[in-house]
Amino acid sequence: GGLLFVLAMTSLGVYGVMLAGWASNNKFSLLGGLRSSAQMVSYELAMGLSAVVVFLTAGSVSLTKIAAMQAGPIWNWTVFSVPGFIAFVLFWIAAFAETNRLPFDLPESESELVGGYHTEYSSMKFALFFLGEYANMIASSAMMVTLFLGGWTLPFIDALSLPANSLLLGLIHIGVFFAKMAFFMIVFIWVRWMLPRFRYDQLMDLGWRRFIPMALANIVVTAIVVALFNN
């Protein structure tokens, strides 16, 4: 239930952003808070549904078991299977929307809302908003590494396929995990300088009319395949 706890905790962030926008008594901040609440609710659904594919395939919601089952030559069934790849892409894009990063930074959008929900906040209050945003990026990266990229394991290295039985091996496991996380963090920052912002109607259309139906269809296909293989 580790992932469910993380998703539950990250979903609480919408309350802080929404209340900050409302309490500012500023129409731009209020619009930013409203955008953020709609955006985070819609993309949390897609993110949670894409993770269900991994749970179905692994037969467990334990993050330790999910990472251990991916140990093998090519991380077995995750990114390199069609349902797993679709789930990975949906989860990745939803993570950008969840963390309010470009091209999904509609709650901030300096060109339209002059900063959005944090317009009236400066100094330490402003810093805390962005501390939360970057902490959310780190948590999302850790979830993607665990669910889809084998956690602490590396392909073709048998020693990294088993739980650590020494301090050195444990430190190597931690290093591998953080290296994979660093890759996703770099991509988060890199994409910010590459892609333009969505329009708000495009953002909602993508979440509700594209991602959620795709995630539901992916769950159905995965459930059928798992049921056939188990029989």
Side-chain angles (χ1 to χ4, degrees):
L3 178 66
L4 300 179
F5 177 78
V6 172
L7 289 176
M9 291 298 102
T10 54
S11 67
L12 292 177
V14 68
Y15 293 106
V17 172
M18 187 171 61
L19 289 172
W22 173 76
S24 295
N25 196 24
N26 180 315
K27 62 182 179 182
F28 296 112
S29 299
L30 179 60
L31 283 172
L34 290 172
R35 283 183 174 189
S36 184
S37 59
Q39 173 177 322
M40 294 174 81
V41 167
S42 59
Y43 283 87
E44 268 168 15
L45 288 170
M47 180 182 277
L49 291 171
S50 60
V52 172
V53 171
V54 180
F55 298 154
L56 285 171
T57 315
S60 172
V61 295
S62 168
L63 296 178
T64 306
K65 291 181 180 176
I66 289 169
M69 286 185 67
Q70 295 178 66
I74 52 170
W75 292 319
N76 290 348
W77 39 263
T78 49
V79 175
F80 297 92
S81 68
V82 174
F85 181 75
I86 293 171
F88 171 64
V89 171
L90 292 177
F91 196 100
W92 197 350
I93 297 174
F96 275 91
E98 277 292 291
T99 52
N100 297 332
R101 303 289 293 181
L102 272 169
F104 300 101
D105 68 334
L106 275 296
E108 301 164 15
S109 56
E110 298 87 346
S111 57
E112 304 160 35
L113 302 179
V114 298
Y117 61 90
H118 58 69
T119 301
E120 301 293 335
Y121 296 89
S122 61
S123 188
M124 198 61 198
K125 294 176 182 177
F126 177 85
L128 286 172
F129 275 117
F130 277 83
L131 180 65
E133 181 175 304
Y134 277 83
N136 206 351
M137 288 165 56
I138 293 169
S140 299
S141 300
M143 287 297 103
M144 285 188 281
V145 169
T146 305
L147 292 174
F148 300 102
L149 292 185
W152 64 83
T153 67
L154 277 180
F156 307 111
I157 302 177
D158 294 335
L160 292 177
S161 300
L162 300 172
N165 54 12
S166 67
L167 177 61
L168 177 62
L169 191 56
L171 292 174
I172 293 172
H173 280 178
I174 293 170
V176 168
F177 189 87
F178 275 93
K180 293 178 183 179
M181 275 180 56
F183 165 77
F184 283 113
M185 291 295 294
I186 290 168
V187 172
F188 269 112
I189 296 165
W190 169 59
V191 168
R192 187 173 184 86
W193 300 100
M194 295 288 290
L195 299 175
R197 185 182 299 124
F198 279 81
R199 284 202 323 263
Y200 185 67
D201 60 310
Q202 293 173 331
L203 177 86
M204 290 292 103
D205 183 78
L206 185 68
W208 287 102
R209 297 179 61 189
R210 302 291 190 275
F211 278 13
I212 292 174
M214 282 176 65
L216 287 170
N218 203 27
I219 290 172
V220 172
V221 171
T222 305
I224 292 170
V225 171
V226 169
L228 290 174
F229 272 97
N230 286 344
N231 292 331

